[in-house]
Every structure is written in C-alpha cells, then in structure tokens.
Amino acid sequence: MNNLTTPAFLVDRTIVQRNCERMRAKALDSATAFRPHVKTHKTEQIARMQHGGHIGPITVSTLAEAEFFAERGFHDITYAVPNAPEKLPRAAALASKIERLNLLIDSHAALQAMERHGGTFDVFLKIDCGYHRAGVDPYDPDSVALAVAMARSEVVHFQGLLTHAGHSYNVRNLDEVRRIAAMESASVTRFRALLDAEGLGDVCRSIGSTPTLSVVEQFVEADEVRPGNYVFYDAFQATLGSCSFGDVAVSVLTTVVGSYPERGNLIVDAGALAMSKDSGPSHIEPEFGYGVVCDEQLKPLPMKLVALSQEHGKIETSMRVPVGTRLRIIPNHSCLTAAMFDAYHVLDNGRVVDEWRPVRGW
Amino acid sequence: MNNLTTPAFLVDRTIVQRNCERMRAKALDSATAFRPHVKTHKTEQIARMQHGGHIGPITVSTLAEAEFFAERGFHDITYAVPNAPEKLPRAAALASKIERLNLLIDSHAALQAMERHGGTFDVFLKIDCGYHRAGVDPYDPDSVALAVAMARSEVVHFQGLLTHAGHSYNVRNLDEVRRIAAMESASVTRFRALLDAEGLGDVCRSIGSTPTLSVVEQFVEADEVRPGNYVFYDAFQATLGSCSFGDVAVSVLTTVVGSYPERGNLIVDAGALAMSKDSGPSHIEPEFGYGVVCDEQLKPLPMKLVALSQEHGKIETSMRVPVGTRLRIIPNHSCLTAAMFDAYHVLDNGRVVDEWRPVRGW
C-alpha cells in the first residue's frame, strides 16, 4: 500500500467476497433468481464473485457496461434504465450476440418505439413502487393495458415486472427500510395479480435495492433480486443500517498535504474528483461530511471531511497530524466514488495483490 | 449533434475562444504575467487557446496534468496544490525535463521534505488570503520566517507568493466578490512588504480565482494571474455574476428516457456520473437544482433537475415532453462535470467539428 500514488481506490477482496457470498446465499435460500447489479463496481472480477466465481445473469446501468460484460461471457443481461429510443439499434445489435438482453418499458411510447424499430426485444415492465423515479403507476388501469399490449406484441417478449425501491435510501432507520421492502415486493405481487385475468399471472417479479434486500431475512414475493451496492457498501449504507462499517469493502487512500493546527484543519489530496460530492446520509446526520476519515488500519479518527474542492479535501480536527501522513476515507456513496478511478487496488490482508479496471462511459 | 450518444459533453469552441481572449487581453492590458489554470478543461487544445494559440506558462492541479502538458511542450508549469512528500521524486523527475516546475510550500515541514530530498525545486510560498484551505497565515510572523528560510535554502529557489481566493465562491453578489478580490491581492502585497527588510520585496505575487479575476476591470497589486474556470464558466459562475449565461461554453447533451406527466416528472440519461453532484449556487438559490435545463438550442426551459442517481437525472416540470427528446443541461460546476467525460464534443455554430480528450487521474 505504501507504493501507491494517492489518491487511490482500495478494495478489500475478503470483504467483497463475504458480501457477495452472503447475498448470494440469501437468494439461494429464498429460491429466488439472482441477477446482481454490476454498476457499483463495473469489473469482470467482481461480477464473477457475485456468482460464486462463475458467469451468471447480471443487471447493468449503461449499454457500455452491457457490451463490456457481454464481451467477457455474460450472456444474460438486464439493462435496468429506460432506454433512449436512438439507442435501440445498438441494443438490438448487442441482443443478437448474447442469449438475452432485457430492456425496460414504462410507457406506450417506449413500446411503440421498439415496434417501429422491429426485431425482437426481451422486456420488463418497470413498476413505480413509490420511489417516483422511473416506472408506471401500478394503481393506474392503463398500466395493466400496457402490460397486456407488451404481452401481445410481436416485437417484444414480455418477461415480467421490475421495480426498484430507491426510496429506501431516503429513510432514517431499519424499520422504515423494512416497511419499504414490504411495499417493494407487494407492489409487483399485487400488480401481477391484476394480470391474472389476462393469463399473465406468473410473469417474473424482479425487485431490488441494497437496503431493502440487506435488511430482510429472506426474499419473499419476488422471483428475482437485483442488489448492487452490497458488494462494496459504504458510509451511507452503514449509517442507514443496511450493513455494519466492517462490511464496507472500499476506501480512498489519501495523503495529508497540508496541516494547519492553528486553524484546526488538514488538507488531503482526495478532493471532489476522488470522492465525488455525494453528501451521504446527511438526511440522518446533517453534519456527516463527505466520508468517514480513518487511519491506515481503517480505525475512525476524530476528523470530519467538511469540504471538497477539485483536488483538495478539507478536514476539521483538533489532532496534530504531520504532512505526509496517510489516511483512508470510507466513501459516502461507493458507486460514485469507484467511478472516479480508472483502476482499483485490491487488498488481501492489507497487502495490494491485484489491480482491477472498471468499464467507463456510456 | 444528432449522432452523439447521450450523455455527451459539448464544448462551444467560439465561446471558449472568446472567454480565453477576454481574460488574456485583460492580463496584457494590466501588464500582468498570465499563467492560466488548465484543470477545468485538461486538454492541450484549450491550453493553447488560453495563450492565443501558443504554448505558455500554465497552472495545474495534479502531477498527471503536469506530465501530460509537459509532453506536449508546456515547459513552465506551476503545480498549485501542496505536494505530498512521497511525490517529490516524481516532481523532481519532471522538473529536470522542463524549464520550470513550480511547487507550493506552506509549512516548514514541506520545505524540510524538499531539503531532505535534495536537488533543486522552484517554489512559491502559499498564502492564505482568507479562504482557509491551504496556505500560511500572512499575519503570523512565522510565515515571514518561512519565506526567509525558503529564500536562503540551497535546495529551493524562492519564486514568490501565491494565493487563491476560493472564498469568492461562497459569497452572494458581485460587491462581495470585489471585496474579496481586493483582499486577495492586498494579502500578497502586504505580506511582500514585510519581506522588504529581508531583501525580498520584489518577489512575484501570483493571485487568482475566476470570480475575483472576472469582476475586476484590471489586475492590480499582482504580478501574475491564474484563472481557470473562466474558459468554460458554468451555472454557478453565471448565478454569482462572474459571467453571463451566454458566456457558458459547455453543456451536457441528454435524452429524455422517461416521461411521467401525471406526476410532473421526466427522467433523462444524465445522472450523477454525467453531471457530478455539485449543488452549485445553492447558497444563493437554495432550490437551484443540479444544473440549468435547456432545449437543444440552449434556451432555458421551465424545468428543474431535482435529483441525480447514478444514471438517472430527475426533472420536475409541468411540460409534456416525449421520450426521445434531447435536452442540454448547463452544469453547476464545469470543472467537475468535464472530468466525468473521456471526450469532449466540440461545437462550431451548432455542428460537431472536433473531439478533444482530457487527461485524467493523478
């Protein structure tokens, strides 16, 4: 670790492995199909770890990820963001090379765009379970009509219902996460029942957010789960209670480049381009700061990362710390922090043993 | 522009050129040395535009930038972030290849680290003019002692005093920016006067932040200026008043991938990994959102970018906008948004004419 240029993104392989095994075992125990999201890490190595060392179904957030993983043998992929119509030719080209590329539909317009394009697309109907980002309202009769139109289409193959309880990130404690977890699976279960009369009562119910899938003992009322952040977790998830801080697999190694005990500040070389400017669990702890500052052994220090400019991180502390000291910062939001780095430095028992490279862009 | 995959980072070459010329002309008129920062754009093409098409002195925020620009002929570089001691060998290696690499010192410890390393380093003393990020207190007698020690050192060559009024970003109007601009140059001028008795009364005073350098008619009480963001400007700078919205040279092209008029929302494919999560001028307009949403001709629309998740941007609007519509978003903080993209698409009169690639990493 001493030889790394800072800022550097560190991944503890043992913890990733444990996080992967725990979630996979829960899916197996629940007899639920497992289609983990790869957007948090974007690496071939961790995608395999998510499936116990093997190739398996995955979820992606960009077509660039879909193409990257398809080239590496992942042939069953769900692209879980509504697709821009002009990207249909690119999606179709990829779909023709692999076993299955599932796309999302959440409007008649999206269905019509695929029908105008022609060919065949495997599709899920995106349901809004209360997050109010993408997805159709499951209480709107028109949503049933859209599902039926998808099932009857000659261009799309209706695979099922997909939802994501992203509002589990906006609550303050585990009881509220559990309540949202119940709403998440209930939303697709209830909506599927409405499709029974149309002969669609057994389509797949795909659910998942890391908080909701982490807090339940077993997955119920779901046929498939799609967790992603759980491979790394982060300061946000640990504060919310999805995991403990000991489950967080990643940190940013940084160097103190300025020490100003007279004003109670340090400057580290991890700024906004290393950490991202995610404010983390500020709705739970308003003064949380931009990450949890630890020593090189990941012991939290009485320091607060109060500000980030492009290449400066500003820490408030009463500790006197010399320039050159190395610190590790647990990121607020590992998905965004990981994406700031072209390479991850992989640790095993505190030693750097490998370097993994994520896919970037769109 | 129609052929670009979204999200895409667009740079209007004509506006960059105008912004570059205006700032350069002001430095020439003021008889002030011009050492623009390249961290906002990180491209060879714009670094040359900053100097009227030529090679010239530059300021960088990482050693990776310094190495990138040195390879492209820029041989007079100031690395304007305090340097981690373990990066001294790398800095020394670069310094030996070019005419000058100026480093910052803001503590006796930093000076001692260079003296332990040996060799020769060109150095500026970093002064804290009120931003309280890096830099020594110009009212502390020990700061004079440090300047004198730098001047007497056989390892470092004392080039002058450098300050950055980053607190100009935290105020609310131009009068306050002007007040900070006056403080910025006064801080180095006043401190330099203290060095007069030591025979150091004519060292270089290097100042600069885009707000403070944009609002003054002429640069006074400064020997060198180092603006950076002005090449692109952004929604933050336009709201603060450093520029008009017509001076902002960059935008993110995005596609509407979800349209939910029943809940007053759109989803676009520019999320946190395209925009960055900078909250922009929220201290001036608390409900500003994550950028200014415009049509394809950059006409602002009655839309607010209220939330960013990894690949989703959520817009609140009462407009009905079909899926597939393209929008342009003026970023809150162009330095951070530009860094999310591996390539910039360069526009001339609305047509894509070139692609520029920034340096990344550290």
Side-chain angles (χ1 to χ4, degrees), chain A residues 181-223:
Chain A
M183 285 167 58
E184 183 180 38
S185 49
S187 74
V188 282
T189 300
R190 182 195 154 281
F191 185 79
R192 190 175 71 167
L194 300 178
L195 303 181
D196 206 24
E198 310 291 338
L200 301 169
D202 61 352
V203 294
C204 174
R205 296 162 300 173
S206 177
I207 68 166
S209 79
T210 281
T212 57
L213 297 179
S214 293
V215 302
V216 297
E217 294 294 317
Q218 272 219 320
F219 306 134
V220 293
E221 296 193 297
D223 305 300

Side-chain angles (χ1 to χ4, degrees), chain B residues 267-318:
Chain B
I267 297 294
V268 293
D269 63 1
L273 288 197
M275 301 306 304
S276 93
K277 285 191 86 165
D278 197 284
S279 57
S282 55
H283 68 297
I284 302 173
E285 293 187 27
E287 302 296 315
F288 194 81
Y290 288 100
V292 177
V293 185
C294 302
D295 67 11
E296 277 196 279
Q297 282 71 46
L298 276 183
K299 188 181 143 222
L301 297 171
M303 295 184 178
K304 189 174 146 197
L305 185 58
V306 291
L308 296 174
S309 43
Q310 187 165 341
E311 298 292 351
H312 299 74
K314 182 176 178 176
I315 290 173
E316 279 181 6
T317 184
S318 59

Side-chain angles (χ1 to χ4, degrees), chain B residues 34 36 53 124 135 145 224 332-333:
Chain B
F34 192 49
F124 276 81
E224 174 182 277
N332 279 351
H333 189 165

Side-chain angles (χ1 to χ4, degrees), chain A residues 86 106 132 260 309 314, chain B residues 106 132-133 260 309 314 326:
Chain A
E86 85 267 14
D106 68 355
H132 305 324
Y260 316 96
S309 42
K314 181 175 178 177
Chain B
D106 68 356
H132 305 323
R133 192 176 64 178
Y260 316 96
S309 43
K314 182 176 178 176
R326 289 194 162 200

Side-chain angles (χ1 to χ4, degrees), chain B residues 92 95 101 117-122 154-157:
Chain B
L101 176 68
H117 183 277
T120 55
F121 291 98
D122 291 295
E154 296 191 351
V155 163
V156 307
H157 292 167

Side-chain angles (χ1 to χ4, degrees), chain B residues 94-165:
Chain B
L94 176 61
S96 72
K97 292 183 198 158
I98 61 177
E99 196 174 299
R100 178 170 301 172
L101 176 68
N102 296 311
L103 301 181
L104 295 195
I105 282 181
D106 68 356
S107 65
H108 289 280
L111 173 59
Q112 287 152 10
M114 289 186 197
E115 293 190 320
R116 277 195 304 276
H117 183 277
T120 55
F121 291 98
D122 291 295
V123 292
F124 276 81
L125 176 62
K126 175 74 185 269
I127 302 289
D128 175 19
C129 64
Y131 184 26
H132 305 323
R133 192 176 64 178
V136 299
D137 179 355
Y139 292 92
D140 183 344
D142 189 53
S143 303
V144 175
L146 178 56
V148 171
M150 290 166 66
R152 292 186 184 159
S153 167
E154 296 191 351
V155 163
V156 307
H157 292 167
F158 183 42
Q159 299 295 338
L161 310 173
L162 181 147
T163 197
H164 167 67

